[in-house]
């Protein structure tokens, strides 16, 4: 198999990123109305050609990413490569999702005093602030209340206020937030992986930041999952340094972007308990289970009161579960079972689907609790266990989008990028980047391409594992991973 140097893969990936961004100008998730006339729909011929260009660019980027991870490079070289690959997307229109239009419209709703947790963007005046964004919101989301926390909505409000809701500058304003999130992710990954040496730090950046799935859906698509991940990882960094109060506060802010970040509190609690070695068991358990939650809860309540958006986010967390996505195993199984019982017994299929979805969430909670218990007993490390817990939550959730995989992937990247879990997540990342079309749709050929790429990546991983049997196991946690910290760095 042919191979290039790290510099060659950097250039190949930059070409792929540039091709994907260029194709996005005609095939991306373009707004319904753009008063500037920059991001305008084109004819079907141009759109098809641009879509092909995006997929070609994606393929070059995935190949470059895969090769770069095995070419060997320094941390500094990896950071420069990240800049090369992210830069082409900075001025591109939204790619792979219309969610950014929802963000802008919801920011306009907060700005105008609408109840963002009681109504959808359709309440906005079509000719007023945020009207163009509301017109570009995808389908059912037009009348759907926001499932996001007040911290993110305040950021969206600030962008809308600064840009007047005009599509192009508003989208670019949201992209600035996404790029800031990427920078914070890089900072946190380097510090979480530092105890694994230069190779561990570089590998963490490769899987957690250079990942095409992250570049396309956080930088290109501007999903707020990037901000949630960034704040959550930063909180874990502080907790590992003994500053668990500040770390829990950051996780509280992450929860006020998207609620799944709350899982991190359980594993910060494990860090707290392990760092209190020598104290009575009851003291460690109570402090670990209660302390981080109280801090994060206080931050969430304070952020909600300061934002003035109300506590409606508590009732809109189930909104996503009402939308069927083909990547959700529990929703697919529930739908299949419900339709089968409907055909045999004439029963309503919806309650069956809902029951299976709830069983899936219950199973996810059980897995998360088990991982926390195992981690508290010594293995795996709390950070690695958090990554696995987030992956389990995604796999068993009633709604799954490709970029949800990043929740756990970025955490596992810092602990075991070259272990079994890291390899599986690398394969899934390479495959799922194809699942969504640049227009935001999920066509059948996206799943076909994902299957082909996933199969090819699996073969490459197995060959690599056979050639290097020493890399087939997840490395044992190093001393620095195994809290407690030095006495001077303990809980305060």
């Amino acid at each position: 198999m042919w191979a290039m140097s790290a510099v060659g893969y950097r250039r190949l990936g930059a070409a792929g990123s540039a091709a994907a961004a260029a194709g996005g100008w005609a095939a991306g998730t373009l707004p319904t109305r753009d008063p500037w006339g920059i991001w305008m729909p084109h004819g079907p011929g141009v759109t098809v050609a641009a879509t092909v260009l995006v997929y070609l660019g994606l393929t070059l980027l995935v190949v470059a990413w895969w090769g770069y991870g095995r070419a060997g490079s320094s941390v500094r070289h990896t950071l420069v490569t990240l800049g090369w690959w992210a830069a082409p997307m900075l001025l591109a229109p939204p790619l792979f999702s219309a969610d950014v239009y929802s963000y802008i419209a919801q920011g306009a709703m907060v700005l105008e005093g609408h109840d963002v947790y009681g109504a959808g963007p359709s309440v906005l005046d079509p000719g007023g602030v945020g009207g163009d964004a509301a017109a570009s919101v995808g389908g059912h989301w037009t009348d759907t209340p926001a499932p996001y926390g007040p911290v993110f909505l305040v950021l969206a409000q600030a962008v809308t206020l600064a840009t007047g809701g005009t599509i192009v500058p508003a989208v670019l304003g949201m992209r600035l937030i996404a790029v800031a999130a990427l920078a914070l992710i890089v900072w946190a990954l380097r510090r979480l992986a530092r105890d694994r040496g230069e190779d561990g730090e570089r590998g963490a950046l490769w899987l957690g930041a250079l990942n095409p799935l992250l570049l396309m859906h956080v930088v290109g698509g501007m999903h707020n999952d990037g901000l949630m991940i960034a704040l959550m990882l930063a909180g874990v960094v502080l907790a590992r340094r003994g500053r668990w109060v500040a770390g829990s506060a950051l996780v509280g802010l992450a929860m006020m972007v998207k609620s799944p970040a709350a899982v991190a509190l359980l594993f910060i609690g494990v860090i707290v308990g392990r760092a209190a070695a020598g104290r009575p068991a009851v003291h460690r358990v109570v402090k670990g289970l209660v302390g981080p939650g109280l801090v994060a809860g206080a931050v969430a309540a304070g952020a909600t009161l300061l934002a003035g958006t109300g506590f409606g986010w508590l009732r809109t967390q189930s909104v996503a579960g009402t939308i069927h996505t083909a990547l959700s195993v529990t929703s697919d199984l529930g739908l299949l079972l419900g339709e089968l019982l409907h055909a045999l017994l004439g029963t309503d299929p919806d309650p069956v689907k809902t029951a299976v979805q709830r069983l899936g969430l219950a199973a996810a909670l059980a897995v998360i609790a088990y991982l926390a218990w195992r981690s508290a007993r010594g293995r795996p490390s709390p950070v690695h266990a958090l990554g696995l817990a987030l992956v389990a939550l995604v796999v068993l959730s009633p709604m799954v989008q490709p970029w949800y995989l990043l929740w756990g992937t970025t955490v596992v990247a810092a602990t075991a990028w070259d272990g079994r879990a890291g390899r599986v997540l690398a394969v899934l990342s390479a495959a799922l980047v194809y699942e969504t079309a640049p227009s935001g749709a999920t066509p059948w050929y996206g799943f076909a391409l994902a299957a082909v790429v996933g199969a090819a990546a699996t073969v490459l991983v197995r060959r690599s594992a056979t050639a290097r049997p020493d890399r087939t196991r997840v490395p044992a946690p190093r001393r620095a991973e195994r809290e407690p910290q030095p006495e001077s760095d303990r809980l305060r």
Side-chain angles (χ1 to χ4, degrees):
M1 180 179 173
W2 62 271
M4 295 188 294
S5 66
V7 172
Y9 285 121
R10 172 196 282 174
R11 292 170 179 167
L12 182 66
S17 179
W25 283 78
T29 313
L30 302 175
T32 301
R33 299 192 301 264
D34 172 17
W36 286 13
I38 296 177
W39 294 337
M40 299 295 291
H42 297 76
V46 174
T47 301
V48 169
T51 300
V52 172
L53 180 61
V54 171
Y55 278 112
L56 175 62
L58 276 180
T59 302
L60 293 178
L61 182 60
V62 169
V63 169
W65 174 65
W66 200 266
Y68 190 87
R70 286 146 184 80
S73 61
S74 66
V75 171
R76 182 178 182 279
H77 194 280
T78 304
L79 292 173
V80 174
T81 300
L82 176 61
W84 277 45
W85 291 5
M89 288 177 279
L90 295 181
L91 298 179
L95 298 171
F96 305 104
S97 173
D99 281 7
V100 69
Y101 301 127
S102 291
Y103 303 160
I104 297 166
Q106 288 159 359
M109 290 175 65
V110 175
L111 188 63
E112 295 189 350
H114 295 285
D115 180 7
V116 74
Y117 297 119
S122 61
V123 301
L124 291 172
D125 179 2
V129 175
D132 291 336
S136 304
V137 171
H140 48 262
W141 292 109
T142 302
D143 296 306
T144 302
Y148 313 120
V151 167
F152 181 72
L153 293 177
V154 166
L155 291 175
Q157 177 191 15
V159 169
T160 305
L161 177 63
T163 62
T166 306
I167 284 292
V168 174
V171 167
L172 297 182
M174 296 305 301
R175 184 163 279 138
L176 283 178
I177 295 175
V179 171
L182 176 59
L184 185 55
I185 288 172
V186 168
W187 177 87
L189 283 174
R190 294 189 64 187
R191 278 144 188 84
L192 288 173
R194 187 157 288 172
D195 58 278
R196 302 189 73 212
E198 173 85 3
D199 185 59
E201 197 173 329
R202 182 196 63 82
L205 292 174
W206 173 76
L207 179 59
L210 273 183
N211 194 320
L213 193 65
L214 185 143
L215 290 174
M216 290 297 157
H217 286 290
V218 171
V219 181
M222 292 156 284
H223 288 291
N224 57 7
D225 300 72
L227 182 60
M228 179 199 77
I229 292 167
L231 291 169
M232 179 184 69
L233 287 177
V236 174
V237 169
L238 294 181
R240 285 192 69 203
R241 291 179 174 179
R243 299 168 60 188
W244 67 269
V245 174
S248 300
L250 280 181
V251 173
L253 291 177
M255 290 164 50
M256 293 298 92
V257 175
K258 293 190 77 169
S259 59
V263 175
L265 293 173
L266 182 59
F267 295 91
I268 287 180
V270 173
I271 293 173
V272 170
R274 288 174 60 166
R279 300 286 185 88
V282 174
H283 173 88
R284 296 199 307 270
V285 171
V286 171
K287 190 170 185 178
L289 289 179
V290 176
L294 286 178
V295 172
V299 169
T304 301
L305 293 173
L306 289 174
T309 56
F311 287 85
W313 54 270
L314 289 169
R315 67 172 183 270
T316 60
Q317 296 307 301
S318 61
V319 164
T322 63
I323 300 163
H324 185 88
T325 55
L327 292 178
S328 171
V329 175
T330 58
S331 292
D332 290 341
L333 182 60
L335 181 64
L336 178 63
L337 184 59
E339 292 296 337
L340 179 62
L341 291 177
H342 175 70
L344 293 176
L345 306 175
T347 57
D348 185 355
D350 288 339
V352 177
K353 179 181 176 182
T354 300
V356 174
Q357 289 176 329
R358 289 176 177 171
L359 285 174
L361 285 175
L365 293 176
V367 170
I368 292 168
Y370 173 74
L371 286 167
W373 176 75
R374 285 288 306 274
S375 180
R377 291 175 62 87
R379 293 284 297 275
S381 72
V383 179
H384 188 63
L386 168 61
L388 298 179
L390 288 168
V391 171
L393 178 62
V394 171
V395 170
L396 294 169
S397 286
M399 178 183 176
V400 179
Q401 298 287 8
W403 54 91
Y404 289 5
L405 185 71
L406 296 170
W407 300 353
T409 298
T410 50
V411 185
V412 171
T415 59
W417 72 273
D418 53 352
R420 183 180 295 114
R423 293 196 301 272
V424 170
L425 292 171
V427 169
L428 290 174
S429 296
L432 289 179
V433 77
Y434 289 89
E435 190 261 351
T436 308
S439 64
T442 52
W444 65 268
Y445 58 79
F447 292 94
L449 288 171
V452 171
V453 172
T458 300
V459 170
L460 291 176
V461 163
R462 288 181 175 177
R463 288 180 179 176
S464 176
T466 301
R468 297 185 295 169
D470 57 309
R471 303 297 284 274
T472 59
R473 297 187 302 275
V474 177
R478 310 244 178 145
R479 184 178 300 274
E481 272 188 306
R482 300 186 182 188
E483 293 73 27
Q485 288 80 20
E487 190 70 31
S488 61
D489 210 26
R490 284 202 182 170
L491 311 183
R492 50 184 179 270

